């Protein structure tokens, strides 16, 4: 079983490569949640995520023969970058297998850190199967993303930093993919602060840990579907499950809407960019996914910031919808002069800003003497969005809310 001594030894190995990232109290999120909320800004870590900690610890424990043969791993992106950089720093050849649909930015970054990248499979599990094939064929050492006590110990150095910087903490909230991060952090926290609580968070569309803990054994889910691609694994590990059963107090889930809202709020209120997986801990706090007391000192681990720019726009749009700051509607108009101007004047009176307009008279779903108007509007809040719809309906228009 993973020990506090293992994690302290790992800190010696990873220091100089992995940064001691900031831990800051957030006044905005403390006011929103009622907790005394602190953010562990691991999105500021080298490579943009915590994975460099475990990867560096594993590679620095390789034998001379293993170093000569090189390493191989599978990853959706963050572990890939961690292994690539750690191997480069240690002078070890690395091959990284990534799913075909991994974010382009993460693929490019992994190659930029010096690893050879192969794209195989539709998700992490299929990429992992191919990586194990290369392990056998080429004699490389497989660096597991989470189910390795040496990797877990490296990730646990994040927990040591949390205790160093916030020894008065009551609860730590940690994302769960395969379970390597929460295993290391939970041991580091509970072995030093036995009364502290460790809460794990998974995306609803990749909730393998909750099912495994309930069943008492590793339970693989059929598929994953979440914007939090960094924690989109079909199962936790045998070793990580053992640690979670002993050290983790509770595991909860959040859905993609809650993740998108947390990510958008972090951008607006904290001027901090995270990926979907990096937002789930805050999403759990803000959505009351678990119970906490007013004024309770809570640390939310923002575990990564490597979000693809193409996805970022989509996620922000979802977050704005949740905040009531974006409204997309369609209206059926009579096809006659002045109708578009009439609608525009109603929208203008409500104080909304028009983001986009699409006016269609040719669709087969639209009557010959009619037109369909689609509007994207920037709004102040949910109440403002409702007022706009009410104003249009009061003037005789049938409004369909798309988002």
């Amino acid at each position: 079983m993973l020990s506090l001594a293992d994690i302290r030894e790992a800190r010696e190995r990873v220091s100089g490569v992995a940064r001691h990232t900031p831990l800051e109290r957030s006044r905005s999120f403390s006011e929103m949640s009622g907790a005394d909320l602190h953010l562990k800004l691991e999105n500021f870590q080298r490579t943009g995520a915590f994975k460099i900690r475990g990867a560096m610890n594993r590679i620095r424990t390789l034998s001379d023969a293993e170093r000569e043969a090189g390493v191989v791993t599978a990853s959706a992106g963050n572990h890939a970058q961690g292994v690539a950089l750690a191997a480069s720093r240690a002078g070890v050849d690395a091959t990284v297998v990534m799913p075909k649909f991994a974010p382009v930015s993460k693929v490019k970054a992994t190659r930029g850190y010096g690893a050879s990248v192969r794209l195989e499979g539709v998700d992490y599990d299929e990429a992992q199967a191919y990586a194990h094939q290369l392990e056998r064929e080429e004699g490389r050492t497989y660096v597991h993303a989470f189910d390795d006590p040496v990797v877990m110990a490296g990730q646990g150095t994040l927990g040591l930093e949390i205790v160093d910087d916030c020894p008065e903490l009551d609860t730590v909230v940690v994302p769960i993919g395969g379970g390597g991060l929460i295993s290391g952090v939970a041991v580091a926290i509970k072995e030093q602060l036995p009364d502290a609580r460790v809460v794990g968070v998974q995306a609803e569309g990749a909730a393998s840990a909750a099912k495994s803990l309930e069943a008492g054994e590793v339970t693989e889910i059929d598929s994953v579907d979440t914007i939090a691609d960094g924690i989109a694994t079909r199962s936790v590990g045998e070793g990580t499950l053992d640690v979670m059963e002993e050290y983790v107090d509770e595991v909860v889930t959040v859905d993609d809407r809650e993740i998108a809202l947390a990510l958008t709020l972090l951008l607006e209120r904290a001027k901090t960019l995270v990926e979907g997986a990096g937002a789930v801990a805050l999403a759990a706090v803000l959505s009351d996914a678990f119970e906490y007391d007013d004024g309770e000192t809570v640390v939310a681990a923002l575990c990564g910031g490597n979000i693809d720019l193409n996805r970022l726009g989509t996620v922000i749009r979802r977050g704005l919808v949740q905040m009531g700051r974006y409204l997309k509607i369609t209206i059926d108009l009579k096809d006659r002069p002045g109708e578009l101007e009439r609608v525009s004047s109603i929208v203008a009176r409500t104080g909304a800003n028009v983001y986009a307009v699409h006016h269609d008279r040719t669709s087969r779903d639209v009557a010959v003497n009619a037109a369909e108007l689609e509007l994207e509007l920037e709004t102040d809040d949910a109440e403002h969005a409702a007022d706009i719809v009410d104003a249009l309906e009061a003037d005789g228009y049938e409004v369909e809310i798309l988002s």
Side-chain angles (χ1 to χ4, degrees):
M1 180 69 74
L2 182 66
S3 71
L4 181 60
D6 295 330
I7 299 170
R8 285 176 169 158
E9 288 176 7
R11 177 156 60 179
E12 296 300 316
R13 296 190 192 101
V14 306
S15 63
V17 178
R19 298 183 177 125
H20 185 130
T21 51
L23 191 150
E24 298 180 357
R25 183 181 187 274
S26 170
R27 186 177 67 177
S28 295
F29 293 126
S30 293
E31 291 174 353
M32 291 173 64
S33 65
D36 178 26
L37 188 57
H38 300 246
L39 305 176
K40 176 59 172 171
L41 300 172
E42 190 66 5
N43 54 310
F44 292 164
Q45 184 56 263
R46 186 169 278 121
T47 73
F50 70 92
K51 292 287 191 175
I52 183 63
R53 298 173 183 268
M56 194 75 246
N57 194 43
R58 182 67 184 91
I59 286 173
R60 283 192 166 160
T61 59
L62 294 174
S63 68
D64 290 343
E66 289 171 333
R67 289 170 57 86
E68 181 67 25
V71 298
V72 63
T73 194
S75 170
N78 288 335
H79 179 63
Q81 293 173 70
V83 170
L85 178 59
S88 176
R89 287 294 187 93
V92 174
D93 184 70
T95 296
V96 177
V97 184
M98 304 179 75
K100 293 178 181 178
F101 305 112
V104 173
S105 60
K106 293 184 179 182
V107 174
K108 288 184 176 180
T110 303
R111 287 179 171 141
Y113 286 124
S116 171
V117 175
R118 301 196 190 186
L119 301 178
E120 294 286 341
V122 298
D123 60 14
Y124 167 78
D125 296 271
E126 291 187 5
Q128 183 186 47
Y130 184 75
H132 281 306
Q133 180 181 329
L134 294 180
E135 175 191 14
R136 294 187 296 270
E137 292 174 351
E138 300 180 4
R140 294 174 178 269
T141 296
Y142 185 80
V143 181
H144 203 287
F146 49 86
D147 202 19
D148 180 331
V150 180
V151 171
M152 286 185 255
Q155 319 302 27
T157 60
L158 185 147
L160 297 181
E161 292 175 14
I162 290 174
V163 174
D164 288 345
D165 295 341
C166 190
E168 71 279 13
L169 69 90
D170 297 307
T171 299
V172 178
V173 191
V174 185
I176 303 177
L181 176 63
I182 196 168
S183 294
V185 170
V187 172
I189 299 293
K190 300 286 260 187
E191 288 294 328
Q192 296 180 90
L193 302 172
D195 294 332
R197 182 171 53 150
V198 177
V199 176
V201 188
Q202 288 203 294
E204 192 175 82
S208 59
K211 293 182 183 297
S212 296
L213 288 166
E214 183 179 354
E217 62 182 5
V218 173
T219 302
E220 183 174 306
I221 57 179
D222 294 333
S223 62
V224 294
D225 183 15
T226 175
I227 61 174
D229 57 274
I231 53 173
T233 56
R234 284 193 231 162
S235 70
V236 296
E238 296 280 356
T240 60
L241 181 61
D242 289 343
V243 177
M244 285 190 284
E245 285 178 326
E246 181 167 347
Y247 287 95
V248 176
D249 296 280
E250 184 178 0
V251 173
V252 299
T253 61
V254 290
D255 62 33
D256 278 0
R257 294 173 303 166
E258 292 161 338
I259 297 169
L261 176 59
L263 189 153
T264 305
L265 287 169
L266 280 163
L267 274 174
E268 183 173 64
R269 301 294 182 89
K271 308 300 180 284
T272 296
L273 176 65
V274 298
E275 59 189 281
V280 297
L282 179 62
V285 177
L286 297 181
S287 65
D288 296 324
F290 65 96
E291 294 183 0
Y292 53 86
D293 296 329
D294 287 344
E296 181 174 331
T297 301
V298 177
V299 175
L302 310 186
C303 66
N306 295 318
I307 188 167
D308 185 79
L309 291 180
N310 291 323
R311 172 165 285 189
L312 179 60
T314 302
V315 174
I316 291 174
R317 185 64 48 80
R318 287 193 187 188
L320 290 172
V321 169
Q322 292 299 108
M323 296 163 68
R325 301 268 294 280
Y326 171 84
L327 177 66
K328 186 176 183 180
I329 58 176
T330 60
I331 307 168
D332 288 333
L333 303 180
K334 292 188 179 348
D335 189 17
R336 63 191 181 193
E339 279 296 296
L340 184 56
E341 181 181 4
R342 182 180 163 204
V343 170
S344 297
S345 65
I346 295 170
V347 171
R349 286 200 304 271
T350 66
N353 186 40
V354 178
Y355 181 80
V357 178
H358 180 70
H359 186 263
D360 187 1
R361 301 189 331 187
T362 61
S363 171
R364 287 182 297 178
D365 296 328
V366 178
V368 174
N369 63 341
E372 183 181 77
L373 177 65
E374 183 177 284
L375 293 175
E376 296 180 52
L377 306 172
E378 295 176 352
T379 54
D380 296 337
D381 50 34
E383 184 178 354
H384 185 208
D387 288 344
I388 295 167
V389 174
D390 290 345
L392 289 165
E393 291 179 339
D395 221 62
Y397 293 104
E398 290 188 9
V399 180
E400 180 183 358
I401 300 173
L402 300 181
S403 61

